[in-house]
């Protein structure tokens, strides 16, 4: 808005800033925030507004100091309600503090919280509460529905390409599967404390439901995981995944974390073997940790034991990236360039991308692990 005193207009129409300006407490950040507050703003538009869901955070509090003097506030987010009612109320209070301010009836807020807790256990209550929340939010939310933009989109075409694992990937996958079965067998033989008869049979048969690498398509371990977790029958070498390996049996006897770790490890290998550690031996990691400690690559306060404890958990790609980012001290530990091609999926992608780019296609890549994108960039 024009300056109320002089009537002079601002030398710009829109100013783009980041949340970081309202998180840091450095001298530069304080000066920048002071400058921002001197202007009288007509609109404040917060993208990825769920970043403001914590009303007690420094980011929320300092940005509110600017927002409260704006004529209009707009929040852009795909997830206005992520975890609980408190986060939603924090966003509404940021928008309209006069309507949803701290003076809002706390009894009403508590009642809504109780309803949400009840809804988590009762489907009918869940539907009723969801409907109430929609009616509460409808005056304050503009939603872009799929039906409104479907006409602007080109028809979607799904093409599924299955690839066989490359030799190194097969070897790592097979070894991991063997080690996991041996671990389960050893625990069963030792008789885990408090264990009931047959606890580990389900895991054995669930792992049997995972195809061996020579008959396995890269990345299809999700189907085997679903077989173990959802009582579906999967391809098996010695039994069916559903026999004794139901979700109830596995979760109650081994726990969800252990099951998740087993199948996540296999899924990582199926995506790219550098997502786990197999090229870097313990001895190599120890040597890297000694150099990193002596050169203070983790800072002067970190001891060798702390550095090793951290690095021993890293994947091959993380260790490789650390070596590349510190060439003066660790260049000898960097992996050869062809290591990036030890994934069937990356190898296929490296063949597809040049052809697609030559046709003028624009490409958007998705992956469950961000390191896979880093691997592709490293190769390029």
């Amino acid at each position: 808005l024009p300056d109320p005193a002089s009537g002079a207009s601002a030398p710009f129409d829109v100013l783009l800033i980041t949340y970081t300006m309202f998180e840091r407490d450095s001298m530069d950040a304080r000066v920048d925030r002071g400058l921002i507050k001197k202007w009288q703003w007509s609109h404040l538009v917060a993208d990825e507004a769920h970043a403001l869901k914590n009303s007690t955070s420094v980011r929320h509090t300092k940005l509110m100091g600017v927002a409260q003097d704006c004529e209009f506030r707009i929040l852009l987010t795909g997830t206005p309600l992520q975890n609980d009612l408190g986060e939603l109320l924090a966003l509404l209070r940021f928008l309209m503090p006069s309507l949803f301010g701290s003076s809002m009836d706390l009894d009403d807020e508590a009642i809504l919280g109780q309803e949400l807790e009840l809804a988590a256990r009762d489907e009918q209550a869940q539907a009723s509460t969801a409907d109430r929340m929609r009616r509460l939010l409808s005056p304050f939310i503009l939603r872009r529905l799929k039906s409104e933009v479907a006409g602007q989109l080109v028809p979607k075409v799904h093409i599924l390409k299955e690839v066989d694992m490359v030799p190194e990937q097969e070897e790592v996958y097979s070894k991991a599967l063997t080690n996991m079965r041996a671990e389960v067998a050893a625990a069963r033989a030792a008789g885990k404390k408090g264990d009931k008869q047959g606890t580990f049979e389900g895991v054995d048969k669930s792992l049997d439901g995972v195809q061996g690498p020579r008959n396995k398509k890269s990345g299809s371990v999700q189907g085997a995981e679903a077989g173990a977790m959802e009582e579906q029958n999967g391809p098996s070498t010695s039994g069916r995944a559903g026999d004794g390996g139901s979700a109830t049996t596995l979760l109650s006897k081994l726990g969800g974390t252990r099951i998740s770790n087993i199948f996540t490890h296999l899924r990582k290998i199926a995506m790219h073997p550098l997502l786990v550690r197999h090229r870097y031996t313990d001895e190599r990691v120890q040597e890297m940790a000694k150099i990193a400690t002596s050169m203070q690559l983790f800072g002067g306060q970190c001891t060798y034991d702390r550095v090793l404890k951290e690095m021993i958990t890293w994947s091959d790609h993380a260790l490789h990236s650390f070596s590349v980012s510190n060439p003066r001290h660790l260049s000898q530990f960097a992996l050869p360039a062809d290591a990036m091609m030890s994934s069937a999926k990356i190898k296929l992608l490296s063949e597809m991308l040049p052809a697609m780019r030559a046709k003028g296609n624009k490409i958007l890549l998705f992956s469950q692990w961000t390191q896979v994108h880093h691997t592709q960039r490293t190769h390029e």
Side-chain angles (χ1 to χ4, degrees):
L1 296 175
D3 182 82
S6 64
S9 298
F12 50 81
D13 297 311
V14 177
L15 179 66
L16 297 179
I17 57 177
T18 66
Y19 288 118
T20 306
M21 184 185 295
F22 298 90
E23 298 168 355
R24 296 177 178 173
D25 199 36
S26 63
M27 179 60 69
D28 288 343
R30 288 197 294 269
V31 170
D32 289 341
R33 288 196 297 270
L35 178 63
I36 295 296
K37 290 182 179 180
K38 287 182 179 180
W39 294 95
Q40 188 171 358
W41 302 98
S42 62
H43 292 72
L44 183 145
V45 183
D47 193 18
E48 302 293 343
H50 44 268
L52 301 172
K53 64 184 180 181
N54 184 358
S55 60
T56 62
S57 68
V58 173
R59 176 196 301 145
H60 186 288
T61 303
K62 290 184 177 178
L63 188 56
M64 192 64 190
V66 177
Q68 63 187 2
D69 296 325
C70 295
E71 288 191 344
F72 299 96
R73 291 174 289 278
I74 301 173
L75 305 184
L76 305 178
T77 176
T79 52
L81 180 58
Q82 282 188 308
N83 298 311
D84 56 48
L85 182 64
E87 295 178 356
L88 175 61
L89 288 175
L91 297 181
L92 292 174
R93 286 168 179 162
F94 188 90
L95 276 177
M96 293 165 287
S98 60
L99 182 60
F100 294 97
S102 57
S103 59
M104 179 182 178
D105 193 335
L106 295 179
D107 290 337
D108 289 343
E109 186 175 333
I111 292 173
L112 283 174
Q114 292 172 3
E115 288 185 2
L116 289 176
E117 184 178 350
L118 175 62
R121 303 189 300 266
D122 184 271
E123 290 186 4
Q124 185 175 357
Q126 188 175 37
S128 175
T129 302
D131 181 65
R132 181 177 177 183
M133 296 302 296
R134 277 193 292 268
R135 286 188 280 109
L136 173 66
L137 297 176
S138 59
F140 314 110
I141 290 184
L142 291 175
R143 297 181 61 200
R144 183 177 63 174
L145 304 177
K146 182 179 178 180
S147 59
E148 297 172 339
V149 298
Q152 306 170 25
L153 304 176
V154 297
K156 185 185 296 184
V157 179
H158 290 272
I159 300 176
L160 177 63
K161 289 183 176 288
E162 293 188 345
V163 291
D164 292 318
M165 290 185 180
V166 298
E168 178 183 341
Q169 200 171 13
E170 287 186 5
E171 181 181 351
V172 177
Y173 189 92
S174 179
K175 184 177 180 179
L177 201 57
T178 299
N179 290 342
M180 288 174 182
R181 285 177 174 148
E183 179 184 346
V184 169
R188 182 176 57 212
K192 195 172 182 180
K193 183 178 180 181
D195 185 31
K196 296 181 180 179
Q197 181 69 24
T199 294
F200 299 97
E201 280 83 347
V203 183
D204 262 342
K205 293 185 178 181
S206 297
L207 291 175
D208 284 340
V210 179
Q211 294 171 301
R214 297 197 176 277
N215 299 317
K216 180 172 172 40
K217 301 297 183 181
S218 179
S220 63
V221 72
Q222 291 93 328
E225 182 177 5
M229 297 297 292
E230 299 177 10
E231 300 187 42
Q232 297 174 354
N233 295 337
S236 173
T237 57
S238 63
R240 299 192 307 172
D243 296 338
S246 68
T248 302
T249 302
L250 292 176
L251 288 173
S252 64
K253 296 180 178 179
L254 279 184
T257 301
R258 177 56 183 147
I259 297 169
S260 177
N261 289 343
I262 288 175
F263 287 104
T264 297
H265 189 80
L266 293 176
R267 287 169 57 198
K268 285 183 175 182
I269 299 172
M271 175 65 71
H272 201 302
L274 294 188
L275 292 177
V276 301
R277 182 165 66 88
H278 70 282
R279 284 180 174 246
Y280 287 88
T281 63
D282 289 350
E283 290 73 21
R284 290 189 72 193
V285 176
Q286 290 168 6
E287 188 175 352
M288 291 176 66
K290 289 179 182 178
I291 297 175
T293 304
S294 62
M295 295 293 106
Q296 299 185 358
L297 300 183
F298 285 85
Q301 302 301 316
C302 286
T303 64
Y304 167 74
D305 289 339
R306 289 181 63 186
V307 172
L308 179 60
K309 184 178 180 180
E310 170 68 19
M311 294 182 64
I312 204 72
T313 64
W314 288 3
S315 66
D316 279 347
H317 186 264
L319 291 165
H320 166 74
S321 299
F322 187 60
S323 301
V324 171
S325 62
N326 296 279
R328 289 181 57 190
H329 310 297
L330 300 171
S331 60
Q332 67 273 28
F333 296 100
L335 296 175
D338 60 2
M340 304 304 154
M341 301 303 295
S342 58
S343 162
K345 287 186 175 183
I346 296 298
K347 188 175 181 180
L348 175 64
L349 190 61
S350 68
E351 298 169 358
M352 293 174 60
L353 286 179
M356 296 173 70
R357 292 172 67 179
K359 295 178 181 178
N361 292 330
K362 295 182 178 179
I363 301 151
L364 185 62
L365 291 176
F366 291 89
S367 174
Q368 292 183 331
W369 288 280
T370 56
Q371 288 187 52
V372 177
H373 292 293
H374 300 158
T375 300
Q376 180 64 19
R377 288 205 301 269
T378 301
H379 173 68
E380 291 177 347

